[in-house]
Amino acid sequence: MAASVKWEIEDFDEVDSTNTLAVGRPPWSMVRARRQTSGRGRHDRVWVSGEGGLWFSLVFPVNPANPQVACLPLVVGLALYRVCGRLGVQGLRLRWPNDLLAGDLKIAGVLLERPAPDRVVIGIGLNLSNHPEQESTELKGMAAALSSLIPEAPDREKMTRSILDELGGLFQAFETAGFSSLCGEINRCWGGVRNVELEVDREKLFGEFMGIDSDGNPQLRKPDGRIQAVSGPYVWKLTEIKK
Ligand code: BTN
């Protein structure tokens, strides 16, 4: 995808979910809203989406025969990491597959859906100057907005443009050089080794999260030192375990 691709942008004050709307749109559509009344997160969670945040969804065409489409969420996470990294956010890191955090506070999340074999909907939620922890008491100590982390957070227009530009370059690299060309950089974004629990089908796996392999699968170091690659698409959820 050329970095200069023109997205067909539709702006709304309020929608239920930009992802839900984008599912019915053609490739290269972008749906953005100031508020979502039923913002959706991964694992069927609610995504709190009040005024001040950046909520948008992109319809991106993919090759149905490319198995690496499953790695796209990681690529989107990298784009968000690069953009926020340039703003000087301290303690910035990714949590597999694509949560963006500052320390333990979540700043952004990505919901990728595949309504048809030849396209994906990439939903991006970025806490810009909203107050997630005030909108939902459950988020206290778990989420933060960029404006509370850096002296001057960019406005949503500038932030949208930076993310689209970054995605343009990364999607191009993904298509021409393949996902493995981005793996090294992604593996430097995890912010160190952490103990995690992976829910896989009906099983729970424990170990130290050691990053991803060249297919985007999470790798666990077991207590005996063995490395176990877990098939990413079967991982329902990753939870970090505090020592
Ligand atoms: C997550 O971390 O659980 C993913 C959150 C994704 C939220 C975004 S906001 C724009 C788009 N519309 C939605 O309903 N969800 C995504």
Side-chain angles (χ1 to χ4, degrees):
M1 180 181 104
S4 58
V5 152
K6 291 261 186 303
W7 292 91
E8 198 60 49
I9 301 180
E10 279 181 280
D11 264 315
F12 295 89
D13 281 338
E14 187 172 287
V15 298
D16 51 0
S17 155
T18 56
N19 259 42
T20 305
L21 235 69
V23 159
R25 301 292 196 265
W28 307 116
S29 303
M30 171 177 151
V31 178
R32 184 171 59 173
R34 292 187 180 276
R35 297 177 300 278
Q36 296 184 116
T37 52
S38 303
R40 296 188 283 115
R42 294 172 58 242
H43 317 305
D44 299 326
R45 291 201 191 110
V46 168
W47 183 261
V48 169
S49 319
E51 188 90 26
L54 177 58
W55 325 123
F56 68 98
S57 302
L58 304 167
V59 186
F60 182 61
V62 294
N63 173 356
N66 182 359
Q68 292 200 327
V69 170
C71 301
L72 274 176
L74 293 150
V75 179
V76 180
L78 178 59
L80 296 174
Y81 181 95
R82 282 188 183 175
V83 169
C84 292
R86 284 198 293 269
L87 299 174
V89 177
Q90 294 295 304
L92 195 67
R93 66 181 179 102
L94 287 175
R95 181 172 62 200
W96 189 90
N98 53 22
D99 289 343
L100 185 70
L101 294 95
D104 287 330
L105 302 174
K106 184 156 163 174
I107 310 171
V110 179
L111 177 66
L112 195 124
E113 297 179 301
R114 197 166 182 178
D118 63 351
R119 61 183 192 274
V120 291
V121 171
I122 299 167
I124 296 178
L126 174 73
N127 296 320
L128 202 51
S129 60
N130 52 318
H131 300 282
E133 71 294 347
Q134 287 173 20
E135 286 179 61
S136 161
T137 48
E138 278 174 35
L139 295 178
K140 215 172 163 55
M142 295 180 72
L146 272 185
S147 57
S148 67
L149 300 170
I150 50 176
E152 221 172 308
D155 63 32
R156 62 199 283 278
E157 214 47 62
K158 270 197 195 138
M159 208 59 192
T160 305
R161 189 44 54 201
S162 303
I163 295 171
L164 290 181
D165 286 349
E166 202 59 60
L167 279 174
L170 281 169
F171 284 153
Q172 200 162 34
F174 173 80
E175 280 172 353
T176 54
F179 177 71
S180 59
S181 68
L182 301 170
C183 263
E185 185 180 351
I186 292 174
N187 273 335
R188 290 191 291 278
C189 301
W190 307 116
V193 173
R194 283 182 174 75
N195 286 320
V196 297
E197 174 195 282
L198 295 186
E199 287 178 44
V200 188
D201 287 339
R202 281 186 209 105
E203 221 186 340
K204 284 187 178 173
L205 303 174
F206 296 91
E208 289 176 322
F209 179 75
M210 303 301 293
I212 51 169
D213 65 14
S214 56
D215 292 319
N217 297 312
Q219 301 200 289
L220 281 189
R221 182 161 63 201
K222 308 299 289 180
D224 62 6
R226 215 168 26 97
I227 300 288
Q228 180 180 12
V230 186
S231 178
Y234 293 100
V235 179
W236 160 245
K237 191 173 170 188
L238 176 148
T239 309
E240 292 180 345
I241 301 168
K242 299 259 156 33
K243 281 193 188 162

